[in-house]
């Protein structure tokens, strides 16, 4: 059979992409087609961008931080391409490119800001050298895919070593700090961080596992060790009011996103935007733009169902679930937890045993659902949290949950694939933003 030309392969991919949108979207299948038929597609298209590629990776916060960074750069006049669905494999980037390109193959962008899964980022940087990289944190997550956290760190080393312009690092995570020694000569290293009083609120993986243990004294000495000067430091916050130190200057803004962790993500996104924009950055405009960022889908996203708010809260590892529970606003909430174990979630759900669920005792959990519903129900039982109903099927579970919530606002803690399915179910009865 005659080999298809590259333009024809692209048009085929765009056609498949269009068909997937008709059945709900969110599929990386068109990207898989491009990987097979035109392996150099992503590298060739991104090489055309005058301001290059910005890569964001790490265990927690990638999707929301990417959304923030995109909005901040757009406020500075950049035309930004991004994989906005959060499909953070290379094929997801290919699918996003197909969706954004014209039929003539033109991409109307001058910079790409991409969220990439740590493991897939390693393959990506072999094809595309990022001009800027933001590396957020290293936490225990999906051990069946990544192995132990030092394996994840080694993946991030390869990203840092491949970056040609600036690497922005989290100075509060010791494994991220260690990446600085792998930044190549000629590439700048910049930092974002926390004021000393806030550090206990955002523990690193080591902090969570050694506090009060035999290494506590050594941890205290490490706490006293000097840290690199941060371009952006999260100084304090109260409710949604945030105080930052930017280039030594104290500034204030608001962050209208669920979760204390998003205050820190805001500092990371701002540090990255300043690095990308360079000396032409309008610092005041960037700080002001933070107040206009809305949640990424499923990350504190609120959907109105029968006149009541239902909030979707993505959880995928112990640190993220802990911080999400700690951020939960007081009040009489109806609560549902949906845990799947598909590949994108991680097959190993033993991480649930590293989460403290005692804060749910007072109100209990109305419904537990997902492919690992019974595992979640057992875990809650060990923390003496009342579970009123276990319904593995997400569609049935959601209907029971909404019907039984009464006048209470609703919140659903969910893994990635369960969140996608819940959004599809909700789109039948409520207005759900397309992705």
């Amino acid at each position: 059979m005659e080999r298809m030309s590259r333009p024809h392969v692209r048009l085929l991919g765009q056609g498949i992409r269009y068909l997937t949108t008709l059945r709900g979207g969110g599929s990386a299948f068109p990207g898989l087609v491009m990987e097979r038929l035109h392996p150099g597609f992503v590298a060739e298209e991104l090489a055309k961008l005058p301001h290059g590629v910005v890569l964001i990776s790490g265990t927690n916060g990638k999707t929301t931080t990417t959304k923030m960074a995109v909005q901040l750069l757009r406020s500075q006049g950049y035309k930004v391409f991004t994989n906005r669905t959060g499909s953070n494999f290379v094929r997801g980037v290919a699918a996003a490119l197909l969706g954004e390109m014209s039929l003539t193959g033109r991409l109307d962008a001058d910079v790409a800001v991409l969220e990439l899964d740590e493991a897939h980022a390693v393959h990506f940087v072999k094809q595309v050298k990022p001009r800027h990289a933001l590396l957020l944190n290293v936490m225990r997550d999906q051990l069946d895919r990544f192995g132990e956290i030092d394996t994840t760190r080694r993946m991030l080393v390869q990203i840092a070593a491949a970056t040609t312009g600036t690497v922005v690092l989290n100075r509060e995570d010791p494994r991220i700090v260690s990446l600085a020694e792998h930044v190549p000569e000629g590439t700048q290293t910049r930092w974002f961080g926390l004021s000393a009083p806030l550090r206990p609120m955002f523990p690193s993986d080591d902090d969570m596992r050694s506090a009060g243990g035999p290494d506590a004294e050594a941890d205290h000495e490490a706490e006293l060790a000097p840290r690199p000067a941060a371009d952006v430091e999260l100084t304090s916050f109260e409710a949604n009011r945030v105080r930052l130190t930017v280039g030594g200057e104290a500034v204030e803004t608001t962050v209208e996103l669920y979760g204390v962790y998003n205050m820190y993500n805001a500092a990371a996104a701002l540090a990255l935007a300043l690095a990308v924009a360079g000396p032409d950055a309008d610092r005041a405009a960037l700080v002001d733009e933070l107040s206009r960022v809305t949640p990424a889908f499923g990350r504190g996203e609120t959907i109105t169902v029968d006149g009541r708010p239902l909030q979707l809260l993505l959880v995928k590892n112990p640190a993220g679930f802990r911080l999400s529970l700690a951020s939960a606003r007081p009040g009489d909430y109806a609560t549902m937890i949906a845990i799947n174990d598909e590949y994108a979630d991680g097959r190993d759900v033993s991480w649930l045993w590293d989460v403290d669920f005692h804060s749910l005792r007072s109100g209990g959990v109305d419904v537990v659902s997902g492919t690992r519903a019974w595992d979640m129900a057992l875990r809650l039982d060990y923390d003496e949290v009342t579970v009123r109903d276990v319904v593995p099927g997400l569609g049935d579970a959601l209907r029971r949950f909404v019907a039984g919530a009464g006048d209470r606002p609703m919140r659903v803690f969910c893994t990635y694939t369960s969140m996608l399915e819940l959004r599809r179910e909700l789109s039948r009865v409520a207005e759900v933003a397309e992705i």
Side-chain angles (χ1 to χ4, degrees), residues 225-242:
R227 283 169 160 75
D231 288 60
V232 179
E233 180 182 280
L234 178 61
T235 306
S236 64
F237 58 87
E238 185 175 352
N240 66 343
R241 194 69 188 168
V242 175

Side-chain angles (χ1 to χ4, degrees), residues 140-157:
R140 290 166 206 272
D141 180 34
Q142 300 189 27
L143 298 182
D144 55 312
R145 288 182 56 212
F146 294 123
E148 269 297 334
I149 56 176
D150 287 324
T151 302
T152 303
R153 176 195 168 275
R154 286 192 290 272
M155 294 173 183
L156 297 181
V157 163

Side-chain angles (χ1 to χ4, degrees), residues 153-207:
R153 176 195 168 275
R154 286 192 290 272
M155 294 173 183
L156 297 181
V157 163
Q158 295 183 58
I159 300 171
T163 303
T164 62
T166 309
V167 178
V168 182
L169 300 175
N170 176 2
R171 73 172 187 191
E172 314 304 338
D173 187 315
R175 286 179 176 80
I176 294 295
V177 171
S178 72
L179 301 181
E181 63 191 69
H182 299 281
V183 173
E185 186 176 353
T187 297
Q188 288 188 316
T189 302
R190 295 192 177 184
W191 304 89
F192 67 98
L194 299 164
S195 65
L198 291 186
R199 286 171 193 150
M201 296 185 66
F202 300 88
S204 69
D205 193 271
D206 290 346
D207 292 333

